[in-house]
Each structure stands twice: as structure tokens, then as C-alpha cells.
Amino acid sequence: MATIILSFTAFGLFAARYLVLQKSLETLQKNRKEFVNFTPLWMASMAYDYTVASIVFIANIKMLRLFRFNRMLGFLMAVLANALPSLVSFSAIFIIAFMAYSFFPLFLFGSHVYTYSTFLRALETQFTTLLGRTEYFPLIKAVDAFWGPMIFFSFSFACVIFLMNIFVTVINISMNEVENNPDLMSPESEVVSFVVRSVKSTLGLGKRDEGNGMEYQGTLDSVEARVASLSESLDKMLLHDLAEMTLQQRQLGEYRRKSSILQPLQKVRIKEGGGSLRASDKTNTVTE
């Protein structure tokens, strides 16, 4: 939606710039001694350039979105997404420091050095200093021999050396986390690679890539290890059940053996008990 709106805006600015240009040229051709103001033409041209630059920027971002199926770009996007909370905190600190080092030379050297005459020029100068350009140092040193070198070297240490190294450290930590945790990466690149390999193998357009199987060797090894662990656990359970069954059978055999020994003794006791009862009955009869 933004691309469509900016595209129509660019068409309108192009037409406005063309009309302003034609009007300025007609005025200049009618009277060459008359002053012609080209400021509206310059403003229309700058607005058109900024609009086209925005369209190209958004188109490139969308192109990167389409290239997310590439494994390396997917890895880069996963690293940036993982480092986003840390980068937000770092950006707040960096913006505060960068603004401070942009306002300070603006107030000190703005009336003497052209590159610090406005706030936007001061921002541009400090940003180019981050990239390594140092031709502004002799100018500010000539204006103030103390504050010029002091601002330049403190800015180089605080922003170029300290803050930029922190930025690189945050990216390195996020990269290590993504490498050690593949779940943070999108599986879209693997899906596309699988589809491409399947189409090539179906059409017979490519040779069988023996190296592709190595990508899944680690997964197969882990599956085999899990199967072996499960088999070992089942064997332990079976052995434990067999041991319990054997123990129960031994206890049952021992109980039967003891029962077979005690049963004749019980019969003898019963017979002895019956004989004593008969003898007592006879004695009672005689006494009567």
C-alpha cells in the first residue's frame, strides 16, 4: 500500500517539477535580464528524489522478504530478530550519545565551520566521522585548539570504539544463539530445498547428491539412540516382570511343598483325636 501511494506521489511530483521547469524557462527566455527564482524547482526536484528513494528502499526490503527462502539470508534475519530486544536498548543509548555529540559542536563551531552550521549538517558530519572521515578535524582544531580535539577524540572513543564494539558484540551473541538453537530459524529454506531436490530427482535433471543425506545424519543418529534407549528400557521392564514371576512361582512351590508335608500330619492328628474321643466314650459307658 505504501509503495502504491508513494508511486502516485512520485508521478505528481514529476509532473509538478516539469511544469515549474517549463514556466521558469519561459520566463528566462522572455527576459534574460529578469531574475528567475528556481527555488520552487529545486524543492520539487528534492521532493521527487526523496520519494523515489523511499520507493526503492521499500522495494529492496520486499525483495529481501522474498529472499528469506535462502538459507544464509534466513540465518541473517533470524539473527536480527533474536537480537532485536538488545538492539532496541542499545539504540536508545546510541541515539542519546550521538545527539549530544551533534549539538555540542553545533553550538561551538556552527558560526565558523560550514559542516556544523545547521543541525542536519552536524548530524551528517558526525555520521561520516563514524565511517572514518576525518577531514573536518583540522577545521575545528583551527577554531578552538582545546575543544576541537577534545570533542573529536571523545566522540571517537565513545561512539566509534565503545558503542560500535557493543553493537558487534550483541550481533555475535545473537549469532551464536541461533547457531546453537536451530529452532530459531525458519524452516522455509529447508522446505524449498526439499521441493527443489524432489522436482530435480523426479525429472531426472540432477545427479543424486550424496552430501544431502549428511544433513539428516545427525537426526537419524538421534532417532537410533532413542530407539536403542527405548529397547533397553523395555528389556529392563521384561526382566523385572520375569524376576517377579519367578519369585512368585518359587513362593507358590514352597507353599505347595509345605502343604504336602503338613497334610499327612494333620490327618494323623485327626485320627488320634478321633481315637481318644472313642476311648472317652467307652469309659463313660462303663461308669454308667
Side-chain angles (χ1 to χ4, degrees), residues 5-74:
I5 295 174
L6 289 175
S7 299
F8 283 108
T9 304
F11 280 117
L13 290 173
F14 180 80
R17 186 183 67 172
Y18 178 78
L19 294 175
V20 173
L21 177 61
Q22 293 298 322
K23 184 178 180 180
S24 300
L25 290 176
E26 289 178 359
T27 305
L28 183 63
Q29 289 176 358
K30 288 179 181 179
N31 188 359
R32 294 182 179 275
K33 295 182 179 180
E34 185 180 355
F35 172 76
V36 179
N37 187 10
F38 288 98
T39 302
L41 178 61
W42 173 78
M43 294 178 63
S45 179
M46 292 296 296
Y48 173 75
D49 293 340
Y50 287 143
T51 305
V52 172
S54 301
I55 294 172
V56 173
F57 176 75
I58 295 174
N60 288 330
I61 295 299
K62 289 185 176 181
M63 188 65 67
L64 289 177
R65 177 70 177 173
L66 293 176
F67 284 153
R68 70 186 183 274
F69 298 108
N70 184 275
R71 186 173 182 82
M72 294 303 299
L73 286 178

Side-chain angles (χ1 to χ4, degrees), residues 109 113-115 135-144:
F109 314 120
V113 182
Y114 175 77
T115 53
E135 63 263 22
Y136 310 113
F137 175 68
L139 299 176
I140 60 177
K141 184 179 180 181
V143 175
D144 196 320

